[in-house]
Amino acid sequence: LLSSIDLGEGCSVKDSFACLDLDAAGFRALFRAEWVVSQPAERRRVATRGWSVLTTEAQLRAWEASWGEVPGETGFFRPALLEDETIAVVVRYEGNCVVAGAIANRSETVIGLTNVFDTAGDLGSAWLASAAAAATLWGDLPIVGYDSGDALDAVRGAGFESVGELVVWISEPDS
């Protein structure tokens, strides 16, 4: 694996099955998380009122500001993201304010959710409603994602089942 990637500082490896030990290669675990899944038959019908899909760069920047993890003034996500038909940046507004959101991505067999947030801290509801919004777009497929810590507890409380561990490794600078 390592022979086929750029091992420079900042290099990262997503170990989707938590089966690699990259310590000896100069990596450290950046974070550990658990994969979660919600099957269509297991999901309750959740209202998606107030949820929509972003279509403009200005909306994306407002979404990022509420997400709260934006490095710099130019934003984190490229506007081209909004043009990809297999990706939807979903958002819930209260008035003109972004209060919750997620990024959904569709494959042939599942819908993935990432970057799920709720400004009031109700992550369980945000996972459920963003999953429902994505299913409205693409059909009733299994919904998958990953999280850790208190956020993982919220996802499980929303009815998602843990199905495995993952680790993201990052290379350490040479000392």
Side-chain angles (χ1 to χ4, degrees):
L1 168 76
L2 296 180
S3 66
S4 63
I5 62 175
D6 176 359
L7 295 174
E9 184 178 341
C11 169
S12 62
V13 174
K14 184 176 183 180
D15 178 3
S16 293
F17 302 100
C19 62
L20 302 174
D21 181 0
L22 300 179
D23 288 316
F27 285 75
R28 69 173 170 80
L30 180 63
F31 69 87
R32 296 177 182 277
E34 288 187 34
W35 288 106
V36 294
V37 64
S38 174
Q39 298 294 337
E42 297 168 354
R43 280 195 303 272
R44 301 176 292 216
R45 293 292 172 206
V46 176
T48 57
R49 193 175 96 227
W51 284 83
S52 60
V53 176
L54 301 183
T55 59
T56 69
E57 184 176 353
Q59 291 172 325
L60 180 60
R61 298 301 164 233
W63 183 98
E64 288 180 323
S66 292
W67 176 51
E69 299 185 33
V70 183
E73 294 179 20
T74 60
F76 186 79
F77 297 104
R78 295 183 185 136
L81 183 75
L82 303 174
E83 299 169 16
D84 188 325
E85 293 180 2
T86 64
I87 298 173
V89 181
V90 295
V91 61
R92 185 170 68 82
Y93 289 99
E94 285 184 8
N96 292 328
C97 296
V98 174
V99 296
I103 297 177
N105 59 83
R106 172 186 47 93
S107 73
E108 290 184 22
T109 57
V110 298
I111 297 170
L113 284 183
T114 64
N115 307 88
V116 180
F117 72 93
D118 182 287
T119 59
D122 189 356
L123 281 178
S125 291
W127 273 87
L128 283 173
S130 59
T136 298
L137 289 172
W138 296 316
D140 221 5
L141 296 169
I143 304 288
V144 299
Y146 61 85
D147 230 320
S148 62
D150 291 341
L152 177 61
D153 292 340
V155 176
R156 286 186 190 139
F160 285 73
E161 176 186 353
S162 290
V163 292
E165 187 180 6
L166 71 106
V167 179
V168 173
W169 297 88
I170 189 164
S171 66
E172 291 285 3
D174 291 334
S175 303

